[in-house]
Amino acid sequence: MSSAAAASFVQQWRATRPLRDLALRFLPADESGLPLLLALEAELFGILHANAAPQVAGAKLAWWTEELAGFGTPAARHPLSLALATDARAVRVAVTLWPQAAVSVLHALEAPASADFAAQLQAAEALAEPFARIECAFVFGVQADCARTRRVLAVQHLGSELLQTPQRAAQGRLPLPMQSLARHALARARLDQAGAARAAALAEQCAVLAAALHGAADLPGPVNGLRAAEAAHDRRALLRAARAAEPLQTLLAQRQGLTPAAAFACWRAARAQRRHAGA
């Protein structure tokens, strides 16, 4: 596979959010490995966030488990894993972590609905664990604590699920805890329909997710510049959605928008990454 094939996957990842193009401008010009890593992660999370049938998603994840078990060996075939293995920092990542990432997505696909937000966040952090360990080892070295990255990744995953509330409802999956549905007298069958109860439940979830992102700053360990910039943008979007009459529409619009504050957040996040990586 050519490097052009890997670049096409990175371009797809960049095109998903305007913020990514902006954030990349603040990273060193020779930093190609991190976008490759995040594009690879996006492929795996994309299976979880897609609207595919469980059997199809499971088959894709089985393929990825096999692919990542061969990371850095002639058995690897995907353009992203091939390109990423050429980055000298890839050897910092324990070989067992790569397939664990795919397995964690499979477990999340099969997980039951969470009773409350604490359980939901715990499940999301279990999903994020291998990804966070990979990111931190790759960017900052094997000694880097991944607690903060794990929390940010987990909340971003829950935010992505929230963005697709109608689709998740149609699949029988819940982006909201069961306790939230009960508190707002919101039936599962009405999650795909706009209404006062759904708006109130979504607004509450947005506020809770924003608070969880804010609390991540108190956890140990660094976060790579691209993810930190996204997290800052996501928190602002969640806070605005929590105050909006239509939280879902506001969240979708905010995700695709950029503000002057976004450029400052990208600069600050890239600076923090350079400082931690050089420590």
Side-chain angles (χ1 to χ4, degrees):
M1 294 285 187
S2 68
S3 58
S8 70
F9 282 95
V10 173
Q11 185 54 42
Q12 291 173 32
W13 167 79
R14 292 175 66 165
T16 305
R17 296 190 65 173
L19 181 71
R20 289 171 179 166
D21 267 330
L22 177 62
L24 283 170
R25 299 179 190 180
F26 293 92
L27 291 183
D30 60 350
E31 176 56 278
S32 60
L34 180 54
L36 285 168
L37 176 59
L38 297 181
L40 176 62
E41 292 179 355
E43 289 296 304
L44 292 170
F45 273 98
I47 297 170
L48 184 59
H49 297 151
N51 299 316
Q55 306 93 303
V56 174
K60 288 181 178 180
L61 289 168
W63 185 91
W64 270 110
T65 301
E66 180 182 350
E67 168 70 11
L68 293 176
F71 185 89
T73 75
R77 291 163 287 173
H78 197 279
L80 284 172
S81 50
L82 289 171
L84 193 55
T86 66
D87 192 301
R89 295 170 295 178
V91 298
R92 299 173 177 176
V93 180
V95 293
T96 55
L97 281 175
W98 298 105
Q100 281 177 26
V103 171
S104 73
V105 177
L106 181 60
H107 289 165
L109 188 70
E110 299 169 343
S114 299
D116 54 29
F117 180 73
Q120 189 182 40
L121 183 59
Q122 183 178 29
E125 289 202 346
L127 162 65
E129 174 73 20
F131 292 95
R133 291 174 64 190
I134 288 170
E135 276 189 31
C136 287
F138 184 89
V139 179
F140 304 108
V142 294
Q143 301 304 318
D145 194 316
C146 73
R148 187 179 171 205
T149 293
R150 181 176 62 238
R151 171 65 57 82
V152 170
L153 250 166
V155 177
Q156 288 183 315
H157 159 65
L158 294 176
S160 294
E161 289 288 282
L162 198 65
L163 279 166
Q164 301 188 67
T165 293
Q167 296 91 327
R168 291 293 165 269
Q171 292 175 309
R173 289 168 54 189
L174 288 179
L176 296 170
M178 296 293 292
Q179 195 176 80
S180 176
L181 297 184
R183 185 161 48 248
H184 296 281
L186 180 60
R188 280 180 180 236
R190 298 192 65 82
L191 267 175
D192 61 348
Q193 303 171 34
R198 191 185 78 166
L202 292 178
E204 179 184 75
Q205 183 77 347
C206 286
V208 170
L209 291 175
L213 272 181
H214 180 70
D218 297 327
L219 296 174
V223 179
N224 77 69
L226 291 172
R227 191 168 299 285
E230 282 189 5
H233 188 267
D234 290 345
R235 182 170 177 267
R236 288 192 297 272
L238 286 162
L239 288 172
R240 289 190 178 98
R243 298 190 296 266
E246 290 291 344
L248 189 55
Q249 292 180 14
T250 301
L251 197 57
L252 287 165
Q254 289 292 321
R255 187 179 179 86
Q256 292 303 316
L258 289 176
T259 65
F264 176 69
C266 290
W267 169 80
R268 186 170 58 182
R271 187 182 181 200
Q273 176 178 318
R274 288 192 294 270
R275 183 173 66 252
H276 283 291

